[in-house]
Amino acid sequence: MMTNPGNRITQGQFSFLPELTDAQITAQIKWALKHGWAVSVEYTDDPHPRNTYWEMFGMPMFDLKDPAGILLEINSCRKSFPNHYIRVMAFNSTRGGESPAMSFLVNRPKAEPGFTLVRQETEGRQMRYTVHSYATDKPESERY
Amino acid sequence: MSKTETMQEGKERYKSGVIPYKKMGYWEPGYKPKDTDVIALFRITPQPGVDSEEAAAAVAGESSTATWTVVWTDRLTACELYRAKAYRVDAVPNTGPGTSTEQQYFAYIAYDLDLFEEGSIANLTASIIGNVFGFKAVKALRLEDMRIPVAYLKTFQGPATGIVVERERLDKFGRPLLGATTKPKLGLSGRNYGRVVYEALKGGLDFVKDDENINSQPFMHWRDRFLYCMEAVNKASAATGEVKGHYLNVTAGTMEKMYERADFAKSLGAPIVMIDLVIGYTAIQSMAAWARRNDVILHLHRAGNSTYSRQKNHGMNFRVICKWMRMAGVDHIHAGTVVGKLEGDPLMIKGFYDVLRETHNPMSLENGLFFEQDWASLNKVMPVASGGIHAGQMHQLIHYLGEDVVLQFGGGTIGHPMGIQAGATANRVALEAMILARNEGRDYLREGPRILENAAKTCSPLKAALETWKDISFNYESTDTADFVPTATVSA
């Protein structure tokens, strides 16, 4: 178990709030669609803070403008990967952006073991730090 | 007015002696600035007896080719090109007879691109804010704004990282970033200092920051600070699963020392380092190049700017510093809070933020932007709001400052009655609750206090924060506001 204030990984926009309901997720999707952003769903069993490329649950939904349809995709991902981390992202493709504009978690494993900090003493007082996920000691598909 | 009425030609022009600047060719009312011209807008208070056009011509002259007397050697040059041209003078509204302020003028001056060395803020500023500010013919002088041509911008690196890539590196999107400055700013040992950093980051902040004057003093030498802070950063990162950072201030007495400190920070895996504005424009550009080369974000603390940016009649407006710093290549700059303890009129601050964050600024006199400005794909700078802000103002902060900003709650984190971690959590919960509400389409500015109270029901640290700072606000008149008449049909 993690010992930070929420006892969990705090990536994404809303990790310090209670889990979002489907109605709340829908409201966020509407915000994204209002701005013309493409919503996408990604999942992983390797939540290292610098693991950029989570698995894509299908392509970004560039042409889907129906919040209910997008929520269906999210729930289908949750069904397929009930014990993974799942995030919803919104991509802004306009000039000067061309980058994610939103990212928030909508699913977590039941137990979140978190990370250990591996310290390797090097020259003088210097330290090499490695943030290591306990879960990734196991092979993929057996982690959570 | 035709050109011949203002300027003398040929032999008469170059007769030894002193002639008015207007007659030397620095006043050219019909001039249409070229797309490649640098344009500066000065607020001029002429000496008694000096007319506004002569004062503007004098400023154009002294900031470009002129000296106090005629020199024949001008005739060896394409001097008409190299002369800056004052081409327009407007009386500043609400100054002059019948007001409490002496008559002031806005003077528009155009400079040919060839007057400036490529990629050098030092060279640009040596002309524009060089000798001319001590010039006797003007009683006071203030550089209000500049239009930098795309051709010149393209010779600058611009922000080493920029908002977009910074967010991608941090993996943080769709909300302001949260920071705090370690307090007390002076006196803590390295070990104690790192404790503050760890608690604040673990509690929910993204960044902690050195203060401007923490360098390498007897109570804490720089290497000690760097080692303990990076222990804190990495430990907090492991505790939360988030990328965290601490702005390690590498400001020092020489470039060599700054490079040494920055290299050490990088070797420890620091994602960000910081410098102070007082190190100077060239040092800032050097550090921006270093930051680009080493994949490190560069934070700039604007220490010193108020010595010349705060008074309305003399010095320079902060928006010009914002423009120069975007060119020089910093990634973060403190640019005001609107609601906090430091100077800042909301409309003016919007102007600063727009200069830092937009790809293109339309002319907007109410925000103090006198010129249209295309940023030529230079990266965007992340503004930092710091000084006397707390969680209870979250709705106002998001309303005024938007999403691409670092909100820094120093006292508002470390001064929390339940401790630093609780202070950080309070800020993070307040922020996330407000962003959630905003995205849901709620009128969060009006409902802000209720949204926070609601979030506090499941977060005792937020409840305590709201209680502690409920009556704190800083309502003073701004000293720096826009001077414009809303009906004026001014075009640059």
Side-chain angles (χ1 to χ4, degrees):
Chain A
M1 179 182 121
M2 300 180 73
T3 60
N4 63 346
N7 308 118
R8 58 185 189 170
I9 284 174
T10 53
Q11 295 174 12
Q13 285 168 283
F14 305 123
S15 282
F16 275 71
L17 303 180
E19 293 297 348
L20 302 191
T21 62
D22 279 7
Q24 285 176 307
I25 292 170
T26 303
Q28 297 300 315
I29 294 170
K30 285 182 182 162
W31 173 261
L33 293 175
K34 193 176 129 191
H35 289 83
W37 300 332
V39 180
S40 61
V41 183
E42 301 183 346
Y43 63 95
T44 192
D45 60 3
D46 176 12
H48 188 279
R50 290 179 63 178
N51 175 18
T52 304
Y53 304 114
W54 291 23
E55 304 306 321
M56 295 197 290
F57 191 75
M59 300 231 283
M61 293 169 259
F62 294 105
D63 303 311
L64 189 49
K65 307 294 180 201
D66 171 27
I70 293 172
L71 187 66
L72 213 64
E73 282 298 303
I74 293 170
N75 283 329
S76 146
C77 184
R78 283 162 153 173
K79 213 167 165 185
S80 309
F81 302 100
N83 223 14
H84 279 53
Y85 290 94
I86 300 175
R87 68 185 177 195
V88 172
M89 304 190 82
F91 197 90
N92 170 14
S93 65
T94 57
R95 181 175 176 246
E98 295 159 270
S99 186
M102 296 175 77
S103 174
F104 58 94
L105 294 178
V106 294
N107 204 65
R108 300 165 179 277
K110 273 168 214 76
E112 295 189 69
F115 306 89
T116 184
L117 184 64
V118 183
R119 295 183 184 79
Q120 184 194 357
E121 295 92 342
T122 60
E123 289 159 53
R125 302 277 308 153
Q126 283 195 56
M127 202 77 86
R128 292 230 167 271
Y129 295 102
T130 302
V131 172
H132 176 73
S133 167
Y134 291 112
T136 53
D137 286 340
K138 295 185 195 145
E140 282 186 289
S141 81
E142 290 171 29
R143 286 175 182 169
Y144 290 99
Chain B
M1 205 183 324
S2 78
K3 198 173 160 189
T4 47
E5 282 172 324
T6 56
M7 184 188 166
Q8 296 174 338
E9 304 282 356
K11 201 171 170 187
E12 196 195 350
R13 162 68 175 79
Y14 293 102
K15 207 162 80 182
S16 290
V18 178
I19 59 171
Y21 286 88
K22 264 165 92 170
K23 294 193 172 168
M24 287 199 275
Y26 298 104
W27 170 243
E28 203 175 323
Y31 184 74
K32 290 261 174 295
K34 292 176 288 192
D35 285 347
T36 54
D37 281 351
V38 170
I39 308 174
L41 180 95
F42 290 95
R43 177 195 294 262
I44 300 180
T45 310
Q47 291 286 9
V50 178
D51 79 68
S52 59
E53 291 168 4
E54 174 61 12
V59 170
E62 288 298 319
S63 60
S64 62
T65 55
T67 188
W68 60 278
T69 185
V70 171
V71 291
W72 66 269
T73 42
D74 268 349
R75 301 186 87 174
L76 303 176
T77 71
C79 54
E80 291 191 0
L81 181 81
Y82 298 133
R83 276 185 205 123
K85 291 136 190 111
Y87 63 93
R88 177 174 156 190
V89 173
D90 299 336
V92 175
N94 307 316
T95 66
T99 71
S100 58
T101 314
E102 283 175 278
Q103 183 66 58
Q104 300 175 352
Y105 298 92
F106 285 136
Y108 292 74
I109 299 176
Y111 302 79
D112 190 87
L113 187 57
D114 278 359
L115 291 170
F116 306 107
E117 178 176 346
E118 62 277 11
S120 172
I121 299 284
N123 182 249
L124 176 73
T125 55
S127 282
I128 306 289
I129 57 165
N131 282 355
V132 61
F133 273 72
F135 189 47
K136 282 182 178 169
V138 293
K139 203 166 182 181
L141 183 63
R142 190 181 199 220
L143 178 59
E144 288 286 346
D145 199 5
M146 290 187 79
R147 194 284 302 266
I148 315 289
V150 167
Y152 196 44
L153 286 179
K154 279 292 184 189
T155 68
F156 286 85
Q157 170 195 288
T161 316
I163 290 178
V164 171
V165 175
E166 170 169 356
R167 284 193 175 281
E168 290 176 349
R169 282 193 200 161
L170 300 174
D171 187 38
K172 295 173 198 291
F173 307 100
R175 64 165 173 87
L177 303 175
L178 284 178
T181 307
T182 313
K183 305 283 175 186
K185 57 207 270 180
L186 297 172
L188 290 170
S189 68
R191 186 175 188 277
N192 295 334
Y193 197 91
R195 165 62 73 185
V196 178
V197 176
Y198 173 60
E199 297 290 328
L201 293 178
K202 186 177 178 186
L205 301 193
D206 304 303
F207 287 129
V208 182
K209 171 181 175 294
D210 284 345
D211 226 327
E212 76 281 12
N213 50 1
I214 196 87
N215 293 165
S216 192
Q217 283 105 322
F219 49 81
M220 174 171 60
H221 290 106
W222 69 273
R223 290 180 69 99
D224 230 22
R225 181 169 89 257
F226 285 22
L227 288 165
Y228 280 113
C229 286
M230 288 317 295
E231 168 73 17
V233 165
N234 285 291
K235 200 168 150 64
S237 194
T240 60
E242 286 186 80
V243 179
K244 302 280 186 183
H246 176 86
Y247 317 160
L248 292 166
N249 191 347
V250 301
T251 298
T254 64
M255 262 335 282
E256 291 73 22
K257 283 185 180 173
M258 287 207 286
Y259 282 136
E260 183 192 357
R261 293 178 193 188
D263 284 336
F264 188 60
K266 183 193 117 184
S267 77
L268 296 173
I272 181 164
V273 298
M274 73 171 267
I275 50 176
D276 293 334
L277 183 60
V278 291
I279 67 173
Y281 302 131
T282 296
I284 291 169
Q285 282 194 261
S286 290
M287 286 309 301
W290 180 92
R292 174 73 64 86
R293 204 159 59 232
N294 291 283
D295 319 312
V296 174
I297 301 165
L298 184 63
H299 176 96
L300 178 82
H301 188 113
R302 58 171 166 170
N305 91 91
S306 290
T307 54
Y308 45 81
S309 69
R310 196 164 181 203
Q311 297 306 319
K312 211 165 164 179
N313 66 340
H314 191 83
M316 59 193 291
N317 192 289
F318 184 66
R319 78 179 61 91
V320 181
I321 293 286
C322 290
K323 289 189 174 178
W324 293 349
M325 290 305 106
R326 187 165 179 179
M327 294 156 73
V330 305
D331 291 314
H332 286 187
I333 185 171
H334 293 247
T337 61
V338 179
V339 296
K341 71 177 179 183
L342 300 176
E343 169 70 30
D345 170 73
L347 292 171
M348 295 293 92
I349 288 188
K350 181 175 187 321
F352 305 156
Y353 275 59
D354 285 352
V355 161
L356 297 169
R357 297 191 298 201
E358 301 296 325
T359 49
H360 175 266
N361 304 133
M363 186 181 75
S364 169
L365 294 180
E366 67 165 355
N367 299 118
L369 305 179
F370 289 82
F371 304 105
E372 185 183 356
Q373 177 69 57
D374 182 337
W375 280 101
S377 305
L378 250 53
N379 281 343
K380 300 185 275 193
V381 183
M382 185 82 86
V384 177
S386 175
I389 58 176
H390 56 84
Q393 300 162 324
M394 197 58 81
H395 49 299
Q396 297 163 311
L397 290 165
I398 292 174
H399 170 75
Y400 284 116
L401 309 178
E403 199 171 279
D404 282 331
V405 58
V406 187
L407 301 175
Q408 294 203 164
F409 304 90
T413 299
I414 298 156
H416 193 282
M418 293 157 68
I420 299 168
Q421 225 181 89
T425 303
N427 290 325
R428 180 76 174 264
V429 170
L431 175 72
E432 294 192 358
M434 203 58 68
I435 290 291
L436 186 83
R438 180 199 66 172
N439 294 5
E440 285 171 352
R442 291 174 66 181
D443 182 359
Y444 67 95
L445 184 60
R446 184 131 28 105
E447 296 175 45
R450 209 168 346 128
I451 293 166
L452 293 174
E453 268 169 46
N454 234 352
K457 281 182 195 155
T458 52
C459 176
S460 55
L462 179 56
K463 194 161 182 236
L466 296 175
E467 187 54 36
T468 305
W469 294 300
K470 64 180 175 212
D471 296 323
I472 303 300
S473 62
F474 299 88
N475 292 319
Y476 301 100
E477 286 271 305
S478 284
T479 57
D480 192 8
T481 49
D483 283 315
F484 80 106
V485 184
T487 51
T489 51
V490 181
S491 64

